[in-house]
């Protein structure tokens, strides 16, 4: 079974530039997550999709970040314009089961991440 | 604000010892608890899931859950240098919609 794919793996941009990340989840996984992980911290959920609908985007800085999952499969995350504090690893994860199930065992499988450096 | 708290460490143990990692959470309605391991420069991977009060064992790993006290712990027996990593505690919120992540505890197992 192929894992979660992400590209690019690394990206270096200057502040105020734009950048986009792509994620292809594991086949059949309905739930897709984008996380931001700053060095030394745990993952911070930016947005969670269930199929092509947004479940949670409460921590997404909507003035500069956007994400879409138009066909309910792969997804893109965009930052426009980037700031220095956006330097982080952006992780995409997917899970199979419905996260709304009480006690649900919805293991999240992570992609390799995209390391973004904003200069 | 729902929170998950972990001691950031680093926790240093000698090879062969028991490593004990702790996690407390604020949402009393939480029902599912996860431990992820993250090697430096890599992505998190799930190592333990626990739902019921008590202990769950998987090889050298034991997860312990106490919902009344709102803590979950991970014990690693016979620690190996390959266990050196950051261990992330994640708790599904009481609405069962998303995981709340701790900052992680860094573990170093010394040969």
């Amino acid at each position: 079974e192929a894992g979660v794919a992400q590209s690019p793996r690394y990206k270096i941009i200057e502040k105020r530039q734009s950048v986009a990340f792509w994620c292809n989840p594991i086949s059949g996984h309905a739930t897709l997550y984008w996380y931001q992980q700053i060095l030394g911290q745990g993952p911070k959920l930016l947005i969670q999709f269930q199929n092509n609908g947004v479940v949670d985007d409460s921590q997404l800085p909507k003035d500069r970040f956007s994400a879409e999952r138009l066909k309910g499969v792969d997804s893109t995350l965009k930052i426009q314009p980037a700031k220095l504090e956006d330097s982080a690893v952006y992780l995409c994860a997917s899970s199979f089961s419905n996260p709304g199930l009480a006690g649900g065992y919805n293991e999240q499988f992570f992609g390799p991440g995209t390391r973004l450096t904003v200069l | 604000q729902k929170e998950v708290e972990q001691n950031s460490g680093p926790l240093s143990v000698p090879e062969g010892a028991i490593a004990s990692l702790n996690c407390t959470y604020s949402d009393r309605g939480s029902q599912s608890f996860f431990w992820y391991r993250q090697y430096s420069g890599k992505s998190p991977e799930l190592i333990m899931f626990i739902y019921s009060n008590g202990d769950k064992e998987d090889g050298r790993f034991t997860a312990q859950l106490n919902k009344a006290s709102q803590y979950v712990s991970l014990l690693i027996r016979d620690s190996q240098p390959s266990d050196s990593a950051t261990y992330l505690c994640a708790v599904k919120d009481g609405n069962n919609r998303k995981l709340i992540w701790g900052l992680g505890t860094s573990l170093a197992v010394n040969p």
Side-chain angles (χ1 to χ4, degrees), chain B residues 10 74 101 103:
Chain B
L74 179 70
W101 294 79
L103 297 183

Side-chain angles (χ1 to χ4, degrees), chain A residues 6 9 33 35 37 40-45 48 54-56 58-59 91 98-113 115, chain B residues 1 8 31-34 36 38 40-51 56 86 88 92-93 95-104:
Chain A
Q6 288 188 249
R9 292 294 310 277
Y33 315 78
Y35 288 96
Q37 188 173 28
Q41 299 184 16
K44 172 187 171 183
L45 180 68
Q48 177 177 328
V54 175
V55 173
D56 189 315
S58 58
Q59 298 191 96
L91 295 165
N98 184 345
L101 291 175
Y105 175 77
N106 58 321
E107 177 180 358
Q108 295 186 19
F109 294 85
F110 285 82
R115 183 175 299 277
Chain B
Q1 179 78 359
S8 62
Q31 297 186 46
S32 301
F33 307 86
F34 303 79
Y36 281 77
Q38 187 172 27
S40 180
K42 301 295 185 182
S43 297
E45 57 177 340
L46 182 68
I47 54 171
M48 288 291 282
F49 162 74
I50 188 166
Y51 174 58
K56 180 181 178 181
T86 296
L88 296 160
K92 187 183 286 188
D93 72 5
N95 296 322
N96 288 307
R97 292 177 68 84
K98 66 179 182 181
L99 289 184
I100 311 298
W101 294 79
L103 297 183

Side-chain angles (χ1 to χ4, degrees), chain B residues 61-82:
Chain B
F61 298 92
T62 299
Q64 299 175 319
L65 174 60
N66 184 321
K67 290 184 179 179
S69 299
Q70 295 179 239
Y71 81 79
V72 56
S73 61
L74 179 70
L75 300 178
I76 306 175
R77 291 182 303 280
D78 187 25
S79 295
Q80 301 297 308
S82 58

Side-chain angles (χ1 to χ4, degrees), chain A residues 7 9 13 20-21 24 29-31 33-34 41-42 53 55 64-65 80 86 89-90 92-93 96 100 102:
Chain A
S7 68
R9 292 294 310 277
I13 60 173
F21 311 128
N24 191 35
H29 281 194
T31 311
Y33 315 78
W34 282 104
Q41 299 184 16
V55 173
R64 299 185 300 108
F65 287 63
Q80 180 180 5
D86 298 332
V89 175
Y90 290 84
C92 178
F96 175 75

